[in-house]
Amino acid sequence: MQDGPLTGMRVIDASTILAGPLCCQILGDFGADVIKIEHPTAGDSMRGHGESKDGVPLWWKEISRNKRTIGLSLSDPDGAAAFRALAKTADVIVENFRPGTLERWGLSPETLRADNPSLVILRITGFGQTGPYASRAGFGTLAEAMSGFAHLTGQPDGPPTLPAFGLADSICGIAGSSAVSMALLARERNGGVGQDIDASLLLPIMTAVGPGATYYQQNGTIGQRHGNRSTNNAPRNTYQTADGSWVAISTSAQRIAEKVMELVGHPEVIAEPWFASGHTRAQHADLLDGYVGDWIGQRTRDEVVAEFTAAGAAVAPVYDARDLAEDEHVRETGMLHTVPDEDLGDVLMHDVMWRMSETPGRIRFTGRSLGADTDEVLAEAGLDADQLADLRHRNVIA
């Protein structure tokens, strides 16, 4: 069985925090030989993100899994030359430097593709390669603010709310893996010619937030914060149970909304004219939330989930990390996977993101130490032992 549909492809991950590394993690999960480029002395700043154990960065173990790791200074002319030699052997490069940085180092897409015409280059920035904001520093927080996400998130009388995790980066990283796959498919169909992909953090999360710009252009309306409620359906909220836990319900489908109201003992509202659509139900959210909240508040979380499930209504408990790790469905279906690691023993992490019947992909190894594969990888690119020793002596490689 293959390691995945990208077996035989080589990807150079010259990116950092977080979209590019996640994109390359996905490509590596599905078989690509991913080569992670880090600064030879400082390492990748991703190593300093999140928690650690005994000095070992935990997030790094997942985000850099299935990646061979080398320390290489791209700003040094000899380091740039080594990168060019490596790029000749690659199918894909993923980078997230500010526009113009690779060009300043003599590593423009045109230069790299002169050596390797089939090269696909994914360029991730905050706002894209062109336009008034192209040179601005780009971080996921800024995209979450500008996309409309923060404006729509939070309580009606509270401030705009940012996510507690890298939402914009993660959406962009997942989208980037799709873009690379499309470009590789296009390469197969157009005689082997590569291309550049201009990906911003902003546009994918704008898409995820929804058609707010269309609503504004067509109707002049601007969405507002509604807490955990929705303008598209009701009841839709989080509700506290008798044992202090929380559950979430959704009634996007009309029949589900009817089942919920039957379950909580208020079938009479189903006959109301306004109950016939999600939009008009949302206009009566106070009433519906009161009925649902009262019923849920008299039962434990397990009782609520059991009765909703038996009635065919949609409910989910609000989980923390421990709940998720111990959930029977998550465990039985392998959504979390235990991987052996040389530093930490067994490490629990997310499994590959989707299941494929013939080329399923897998986690081959966890994130590695700085420079663990430098000599091996650069030797594959044609550098000999004397060159490697000289570059290491000058801290161009690690």
Side-chain angles (χ1 to χ4, degrees), residues 141-218:
T141 298
L142 311 185
E144 289 147 11
M146 292 180 63
S147 65
F149 174 87
H151 172 76
L152 292 173
T153 304
Q155 296 301 318
D157 56 352
T161 302
L162 295 167
F165 54 93
L167 179 62
D169 279 273
S170 297
I171 294 173
C172 182
I174 297 168
S177 70
S178 175
V180 167
S181 299
M182 292 182 190
L184 291 173
L185 177 61
R187 189 179 72 174
E188 293 299 311
R189 293 177 171 178
N190 66 10
V193 179
Q195 61 181 297
D196 297 337
I197 304 168
D198 180 0
S200 72
L201 296 179
L202 183 56
L203 185 52
I205 191 172
M206 284 172 54
T207 303
V209 167
T214 304
Y215 293 163
Y216 171 71
Q217 186 260 338
Q218 291 292 317

Side-chain angles (χ1 to χ4, degrees), residues 345-374:
D346 288 341
V347 179
L348 188 67
M349 61 179 63
H350 302 105
D351 197 13
V352 299
M353 201 167 287
W354 48 82
R355 308 293 169 81
M356 302 179 71
S357 63
E358 302 303 318
T359 54
R362 65 187 177 98
I363 304 170
R364 301 185 296 280
F365 53 87
T366 58
R368 294 163 66 77
S369 59
L370 174 60
D373 306 288
T374 299

Side-chain angles (χ1 to χ4, degrees), residues 233-255:
N233 65 84
R236 189 265 198 182
N237 213 325
T238 58
Y239 307 88
Q240 192 168 27
T241 63
D243 56 354
S245 298
W246 292 83
V247 297
I249 72 169
S250 175
T251 56
S252 297
Q254 181 67 24
R255 182 57 187 138

Side-chain angles (χ1 to χ4, degrees), residues 52-131:
S52 62
K53 181 180 180 181
D54 299 329
V56 178
L58 299 179
W59 198 351
W60 180 262
K61 292 296 183 180
E62 177 167 332
I63 198 71
S64 292
R65 70 192 190 194
N66 294 334
K67 300 179 185 181
R68 295 194 287 167
T69 302
I70 74 172
L72 179 64
S73 174
L74 304 189
S75 62
D76 182 282
D78 290 329
F83 184 84
R84 283 188 63 176
L86 186 59
K88 291 179 183 179
T89 72
D91 296 281
V92 179
I93 292 175
V94 177
E95 63 95 4
N96 69 337
F97 298 104
R98 288 201 197 187
T101 301
L102 284 184
E103 287 79 357
R104 189 169 68 251
W105 293 339
L107 298 172
S108 69
E110 294 77 16
T111 299
L112 297 174
R113 205 169 282 115
D115 297 329
N116 182 356
S118 65
L119 195 59
V120 170
I121 303 177
L122 172 61
R123 315 193 74 179
I124 298 175
T125 56
F127 305 101
Q129 295 291 319
T130 61

